[in-house]
Amino acid sequence: MHKYEMGIIINSQLEEEAIQAEQELVTELITRFGGVIEKVDVWGRRKLAYEIQKMGEGFYVFFYVDGPPTMPREVESRINIRENIIRHLIIRRDDIA
């Protein structure tokens, strides 16, 4: 099992319920592929450094996950097709033993 940090930016123009649904979908994907969520850090609406798809702000959520090496690829392949998740990044955290 490895430790990962996963950040997603959700379209901030969505209703609160839709944003919550996207966050729950990512949580479900992580657990489906063997990940255990240690912590979820919701930053909320923030200004983007540059416009993405003509949007100036996004809804930031970070997941701290313990999971198998195959989990990031599986989760990422399903997030790529989500229209409301405008950016995502999964990194392996080697600094934590």
Side-chain angles (χ1 to χ4, degrees), residues 26-43:
V26 173
T27 300
E28 186 257 315
L29 285 173
I30 291 169
T31 55
R32 182 190 322 164
F33 294 108
V36 176
I37 298 174
E38 297 173 351
K39 178 181 168 187
V40 178
D41 193 8
V42 179
W43 284 15

Side-chain angles (χ1 to χ4, degrees), residues 64-81:
Y64 298 91
V65 180
D66 195 16
T70 58
M71 188 257 323
R73 188 175 315 138
E74 295 292 338
V75 171
E76 190 169 359
S77 69
R78 276 129 181 115
I79 287 178
N80 280 335
I81 60 174

Side-chain angles (χ1 to χ4, degrees), residues 5-97:
E5 181 176 344
M6 177 179 175
I8 61 171
I9 304 174
I10 303 170
N11 181 349
S12 68
Q13 297 171 349
L14 298 174
E15 298 291 325
E16 279 299 320
E17 296 82 26
I19 290 173
Q20 186 68 26
E22 291 294 330
Q23 187 176 338
E24 289 171 4
L25 175 102
V26 173
T27 300
E28 186 257 315
L29 285 173
I30 291 169
T31 55
R32 182 190 322 164
F33 294 108
V36 176
I37 298 174
E38 297 173 351
K39 178 181 168 187
V40 178
D41 193 8
V42 179
W43 284 15
R45 284 182 171 77
R46 301 280 176 124
K47 184 173 171 44
L48 298 172
Y50 54 90
E51 282 192 1
I52 301 172
Q53 300 170 2
K54 299 184 180 181
M55 289 181 253
E57 64 175 28
F59 193 90
Y60 286 71
V61 182
F62 292 91
F63 299 88
Y64 298 91
V65 180
D66 195 16
T70 58
M71 188 257 323
R73 188 175 315 138
E74 295 292 338
V75 171
E76 190 169 359
S77 69
R78 276 129 181 115
I79 287 178
N80 280 335
I81 60 174
R82 302 294 304 171
E83 292 178 6
N84 292 324
I85 298 177
I86 56 177
R87 284 289 187 269
H88 69 278
L89 180 67
I90 302 173
I91 59 170
R92 182 170 163 197
R93 299 186 61 193
D94 290 329
D95 59 339
I96 299 177

